[in-house]
Amino acid sequence: MRDISVEKIRDAVAVLCREACYYLPEDIVQGFHKALETEQSPLGKSILEQLIENAQLAAKEARPCCHDTGIAVVYAEVGQDVHIVGGDFETAIHEGVRKGYKEGYLRNSVVGDPLLRINTNDNTPGVIHTKIVPGDRIKLTVLPKGGGSENMSAMKFLLPGEGVEGVKKFVLDTIDAAGGRACPPLVVGVGIGGTFDKVTEIAKEALLREIGVHHHEPHIALLEKELLEDINKLGIGPQGLGGINTALWVAVETYGCHITALPVAVNIQCHAARKKSCVL
Amino acid sequence: MAKVCLQTPFTNEDVLKLRAGDEVFLNGIIYVARDAAHKRFLHLLSKNQPLPVDLKNQIIFYAGPTPPKPGQVIGSIAPTTASRMDPYTPAMFEYGVKGVIGKGPRSQMVKDACKEHQAVCFSAIGGLSALLSNKIQGAEVVAYEDLGPEAVRKLTVKDFPVMVVYDAYGNDLYEQEIAKYRTIQR
């Protein structure tokens, strides 16, 4: 067993929240550059250039690249040989979110009750996904999820017989309906299979994959390529103002499912596709 | 498609000169208000009560900034999704607001309201939040402080870059531009 204190977990989450919001990941910045090379729309090119400049300025001045610093989605992979000491695990994560958003001058974008809608003023609660894995370490990942793109995400149960064509149609319908509202160029996370809850979970997990890395299954990798091509034929473009770069990347994750079901979920990520990990 | 500098507040003549696709650099005062503030505005308008700030002929920026770091005028700021304000916008234009800044396409109701009330919808680039905050020279909360990031703010802007997406003639920049690059039959 290896002891890890809740203070260490709290402080790590705080740093991840801050750094994720200041420093756009390199794969996303490279995605902007790649899109800029191919973009045909003059307006689209100009938008991509400004997004690159914005990311550079935010990093240089250590400030949020996007004002919507999101609700903090925290992934924890906890080694089964870890002993968490000094308090409880989930409280430590929420405290880390509170600390990170306050000390990092990040926006408090969370209301405590979805109907009463009073801002909690510390961006808690975060959303926590925990997995128990082999080993004696904890891997923490913070994905600050903006509201504009999350709002355009969708889930549907298809008929099993609709198959891959049905999946493609649903993904394209979802992206087309979102248009410029979701802040393209997008990263699109797609979940296929599982249950009502599992399919949305894996769609979001797909957003954790670095862009440029395909699924290990050849038929899913092919689906990712085809989806990306088709999405970029929609013409929505950067900010929905036209162009051939509506999405930077599509990542698909799958899970086994019931014989009656073909659930599909599309989790849309805006161009501020922030994520940051560390290992304790 | 023109490039123009405009001073706020707007006159009807200012609005009528603008066409979808025009790049506009705003100077003067703009007001920040989003979902929660609009809900309160509409409640007041429905009872014929005055708004906490006079927004006639003014420009509303749909946004919520991050808190400023010490020494900053304002934190990072850029537009939020405009379509969430669709239910409120026709009434705000009828009241006398002349322009709004958001991101993304809007409902036919809003496009019609631009024509009917001689108003205009601008887009600024979503998520361009570090760069756009540098165009802001002054910021103060002027109403609904309890709403935190959603409070109504008065901003003094210099050459704040926006684009006309819906003009007062029914033109729609999103539709026009997307059609040029769409190569898939749906």
Side-chain angles (χ1 to χ4, degrees), chain A residues 127-151:
Chain A
V127 174
I128 306 171
H129 298 279
T130 307
K131 273 184 189 163
I132 305 295
V133 298
D136 63 357
R137 308 227 159 227
I138 298 178
K139 182 180 180 187
L140 293 167
T141 300
V142 172
L143 184 145
K145 190 65 178 69
S149 56
E150 191 77 351
N151 275 338

Short mmCIF file of all heavy atoms in Angstrom, two decimals, chain A residues 127-151:
data_model
loop_
_atom_site.label_atom_id
_atom_site.label_comp_id
_atom_site.label_asym_id
_atom_site.label_seq_id
_atom_site.Cartn_x
_atom_site.Cartn_y
_atom_site.Cartn_z
N VAL A 127 -17.68 17.33 -11.46
CA VAL A 127 -18.25 16.03 -11.82
C VAL A 127 -17.11 15.03 -11.78
O VAL A 127 -16.08 15.23 -12.43
CB VAL A 127 -18.88 16.08 -13.23
CG1 VAL A 127 -19.35 14.69 -13.66
CG2 VAL A 127 -20.05 17.06 -13.24
N ILE A 128 -17.27 13.97 -10.99
CA ILE A 128 -16.14 13.06 -10.74
C ILE A 128 -16.42 11.68 -11.33
O ILE A 128 -17.49 11.11 -11.13
CB ILE A 128 -15.90 12.91 -9.21
CG1 ILE A 128 -15.71 14.29 -8.56
CG2 ILE A 128 -14.69 12.02 -8.95
CD1 ILE A 128 -15.69 14.25 -7.04
N HIS A 129 -15.45 11.18 -12.08
CA HIS A 129 -15.50 9.80 -12.59
C HIS A 129 -14.29 9.06 -12.04
O HIS A 129 -13.15 9.45 -12.31
CB HIS A 129 -15.43 9.78 -14.12
CG HIS A 129 -16.57 10.50 -14.78
ND1 HIS A 129 -17.80 9.92 -14.97
CD2 HIS A 129 -16.67 11.75 -15.29
CE1 HIS A 129 -18.61 10.77 -15.57
NE2 HIS A 129 -17.95 11.89 -15.78
N THR A 130 -14.55 8.01 -11.28
CA THR A 130 -13.45 7.28 -10.65
C THR A 130 -13.39 5.85 -11.17
O THR A 130 -14.41 5.19 -11.29
CB THR A 130 -13.65 7.24 -9.12
OG1 THR A 130 -13.82 8.58 -8.66
CG2 THR A 130 -12.44 6.64 -8.42
N LYS A 131 -12.17 5.42 -11.47
CA LYS A 131 -11.95 4.02 -11.84
C LYS A 131 -10.89 3.44 -10.92
O LYS A 131 -9.91 4.12 -10.61
CB LYS A 131 -11.42 3.92 -13.28
CG LYS A 131 -12.49 3.89 -14.32
CD LYS A 131 -11.88 3.69 -15.70
CE LYS A 131 -12.97 3.90 -16.74
NZ LYS A 131 -12.43 4.12 -18.07
N ILE A 132 -11.08 2.22 -10.50
CA ILE A 132 -10.06 1.54 -9.72
C ILE A 132 -9.21 0.73 -10.71
O ILE A 132 -9.76 -0.04 -11.51
CB ILE A 132 -10.69 0.58 -8.68
CG1 ILE A 132 -11.69 1.33 -7.79
CG2 ILE A 132 -9.60 -0.10 -7.84
CD1 ILE A 132 -11.12 2.39 -6.92
N VAL A 133 -7.91 0.97 -10.67
CA VAL A 133 -7.01 0.33 -11.64
C VAL A 133 -5.86 -0.35 -10.89
O VAL A 133 -5.65 -0.07 -9.70
CB VAL A 133 -6.44 1.38 -12.64
CG1 VAL A 133 -7.56 2.02 -13.45
CG2 VAL A 133 -5.63 2.44 -11.92
N PRO A 134 -5.11 -1.23 -11.53
CA PRO A 134 -3.94 -1.82 -10.86
C PRO A 134 -2.91 -0.74 -10.52
O PRO A 134 -2.86 0.30 -11.19
CB PRO A 134 -3.38 -2.80 -11.90
CG PRO A 134 -4.49 -3.04 -12.87
CD PRO A 134 -5.30 -1.77 -12.87
N GLY A 135 -2.08 -1.01 -9.51
CA GLY A 135 -0.98 -0.10 -9.23
C GLY A 135 -1.15 0.68 -7.94
O GLY A 135 -2.15 0.52 -7.22
N ASP A 136 -0.17 1.55 -7.66
CA ASP A 136 -0.19 2.31 -6.40
C ASP A 136 -0.10 3.81 -6.66
O ASP A 136 0.48 4.56 -5.90
CB ASP A 136 0.93 1.83 -5.47
CG ASP A 136 2.32 2.05 -6.04
OD1 ASP A 136 2.42 2.55 -7.20
OD2 ASP A 136 3.30 1.73 -5.34
N ARG A 137 -0.67 4.24 -7.80
CA ARG A 137 -0.64 5.66 -8.14
C ARG A 137 -2.08 6.14 -8.37
O ARG A 137 -3.00 5.35 -8.52
CB ARG A 137 0.15 5.88 -9.42
CG ARG A 137 1.53 5.25 -9.39
CD ARG A 137 2.60 6.20 -9.87
NE ARG A 137 3.89 5.79 -9.39
CZ ARG A 137 4.76 6.63 -8.82
NH1 ARG A 137 4.46 7.89 -8.65
NH2 ARG A 137 5.93 6.20 -8.43
N ILE A 138 -2.21 7.46 -8.41
CA ILE A 138 -3.49 8.06 -8.82
C ILE A 138 -3.22 8.94 -10.02
O ILE A 138 -2.36 9.83 -9.95
CB ILE A 138 -4.13 8.91 -7.70
CG1 ILE A 138 -4.45 8.06 -6.48
CG2 ILE A 138 -5.40 9.60 -8.21
CD1 ILE A 138 -5.05 8.85 -5.32
N LYS A 139 -3.94 8.69 -11.11
CA LYS A 139 -3.86 9.60 -12.26
C LYS A 139 -5.11 10.50 -12.22
O LYS A 139 -6.24 10.00 -12.15
CB LYS A 139 -3.81 8.83 -13.58
CG LYS A 139 -3.69 9.78 -14.77
CD LYS A 139 -3.63 9.04 -16.10
CE LYS A 139 -3.52 10.06 -17.24
NZ LYS A 139 -3.62 9.43 -18.57
N LEU A 140 -4.86 11.78 -12.24
CA LEU A 140 -5.96 12.75 -12.23
C LEU A 140 -5.98 13.51 -13.55
O LEU A 140 -4.92 13.91 -14.06
CB LEU A 140 -5.78 13.76 -11.09
CG LEU A 140 -5.89 13.21 -9.67
CD1 LEU A 140 -5.35 14.25 -8.68
CD2 LEU A 140 -7.33 12.85 -9.34
N THR A 141 -7.17 13.69 -14.10
CA THR A 141 -7.33 14.50 -15.32
C THR A 141 -8.47 15.48 -15.09
O THR A 141 -9.53 15.07 -14.61
CB THR A 141 -7.65 13.61 -16.53
OG1 THR A 141 -6.59 12.67 -16.71
CG2 THR A 141 -7.81 14.43 -17.80
N VAL A 142 -8.24 16.73 -15.41
CA VAL A 142 -9.31 17.72 -15.34
C VAL A 142 -9.67 18.16 -16.76
O VAL A 142 -8.78 18.53 -17.54
CB VAL A 142 -8.93 18.94 -14.47
CG1 VAL A 142 -9.99 20.03 -14.57
CG2 VAL A 142 -8.76 18.52 -13.02
N LEU A 143 -10.95 18.09 -17.06
CA LEU A 143 -11.46 18.55 -18.35
C LEU A 143 -12.50 19.64 -18.03
O LEU A 143 -13.61 19.33 -17.62
CB LEU A 143 -12.10 17.36 -19.08
CG LEU A 143 -12.64 17.55 -20.49
CD1 LEU A 143 -12.42 16.27 -21.29
CD2 LEU A 143 -14.10 17.89 -20.53
N PRO A 144 -12.10 20.92 -18.13
CA PRO A 144 -13.08 21.98 -17.86
C PRO A 144 -14.03 22.07 -19.05
O PRO A 144 -13.60 22.37 -20.15
CB PRO A 144 -12.22 23.25 -17.75
CG PRO A 144 -10.78 22.79 -17.80
CD PRO A 144 -10.78 21.46 -18.49
N LYS A 145 -15.30 21.75 -18.81
CA LYS A 145 -16.23 21.60 -19.94
C LYS A 145 -17.13 22.82 -20.07
O LYS A 145 -17.94 23.11 -19.19
CB LYS A 145 -17.07 20.34 -19.74
CG LYS A 145 -17.89 19.94 -20.95
CD LYS A 145 -17.00 19.53 -22.13
CE LYS A 145 -17.80 19.10 -23.35
NZ LYS A 145 -18.55 20.18 -24.00
N GLY A 146 -16.98 23.52 -21.19
CA GLY A 146 -17.77 24.71 -21.46
C GLY A 146 -19.23 24.36 -21.73
O GLY A 146 -19.55 23.25 -22.18
N GLY A 147 -20.11 25.33 -21.46
CA GLY A 147 -21.54 25.08 -21.55
C GLY A 147 -22.10 25.12 -22.96
O GLY A 147 -23.01 24.37 -23.30
N GLY A 148 -21.54 25.99 -23.79
CA GLY A 148 -22.11 26.19 -25.12
C GLY A 148 -22.08 24.93 -25.96
O GLY A 148 -23.06 24.59 -26.64
N SER A 149 -20.97 24.21 -25.90
CA SER A 149 -20.85 22.98 -26.68
C SER A 149 -21.56 21.82 -26.00
O SER A 149 -22.18 20.98 -26.66
CB SER A 149 -19.38 22.65 -26.93
OG SER A 149 -18.68 22.54 -25.71
N GLU A 150 -21.50 21.80 -24.66
CA GLU A 150 -22.17 20.71 -23.93
C GLU A 150 -23.67 20.73 -24.22
O GLU A 150 -24.30 19.69 -24.39
CB GLU A 150 -21.90 20.88 -22.42
CG GLU A 150 -22.30 19.69 -21.57
CD GLU A 150 -21.32 18.52 -21.63
OE1 GLU A 150 -20.39 18.54 -22.47
OE2 GLU A 150 -21.49 17.58 -20.83
N ASN A 151 -24.23 21.94 -24.29
CA ASN A 151 -25.67 22.10 -24.55
C ASN A 151 -26.10 21.51 -25.88
O ASN A 151 -27.28 21.21 -26.07
CB ASN A 151 -26.02 23.59 -24.60
CG ASN A 151 -26.27 24.16 -23.23
OD1 ASN A 151 -26.60 23.43 -22.30
ND2 ASN A 151 -26.14 25.46 -23.10
#
